[in-house]
Amino acid sequence: MDEQTALALKSFTTRYCDEWQEKNNSWPMSEELYGVPSPCIISTVNDAVYWQPQPFEGEQNINAVERAFDIVIQPALHAFYTTQFAGDMPAQFANETLTLLQTWSEDDFRRVQENLIGHMVTQKRLKLSPTLFIATLDNELDVISVCNLSGEVIKETLGTRNRTVLASSLADFLTQLKPLL
């Protein structure tokens, strides 16, 4: 596993949880994840859950994606998706407001791999180089992804060749992220 990426993700998650704690005197809360089972859930109140990141359980890789395309996925992406279970976290990178995607449970991890495969099927059909998404943006056509060829973090418009490099590596990107509450 890519230790730099795992450490950068844990560090960002700690910053996010610490800021949430400072502002709300609680662990992060999510209404979107209410009713969805997860080892992260600390408590359920009304229509929301309070959550705390938990160590990832299971095989620490996204080999299902590799097998689907007979390619090798960047080690940083294996680390990103298998370091922890956590809720999605709003963040700021330079002038981009985004939601950093996380796996919430083992079931969610399987779903994420299926979505990554679907994303790459579309790219292959359009003859685009492979990317794997890590965050969403307000504009649903744009996502933050990691280029599987270079390891760079990019902003891309889905289904097009529009790509802008944001960081040279996933660890560098995560280190520069600022929590948004």
Side-chain angles (χ1 to χ4, degrees), residues 70-138:
D70 196 26
I71 62 172
V72 174
I73 300 294
Q74 290 275 337
L77 285 158
H78 289 282
F80 179 78
Y81 281 107
T82 64
T83 292
Q84 64 188 13
F85 290 125
D88 295 344
M89 295 174 275
Q92 184 83 32
F93 180 88
N95 61 349
E96 298 292 343
T97 299
L98 58 97
T99 300
L100 190 70
L101 301 174
Q102 291 291 279
T103 54
W104 182 239
S105 65
E106 286 185 49
D107 285 343
D108 188 40
F109 177 65
R110 282 188 286 282
R111 183 190 59 76
V112 166
Q113 286 192 91
E114 291 169 2
N115 288 343
L116 289 168
I117 290 168
H119 174 70
M120 291 179 69
V121 164
T122 300
Q123 290 178 321
K124 188 173 184 175
R125 194 184 61 200
L126 296 173
K127 296 180 174 50
L128 299 171
S129 58
T131 64
L132 291 94
F133 54 81
I134 59 163
T136 59
L137 298 164
D138 286 340

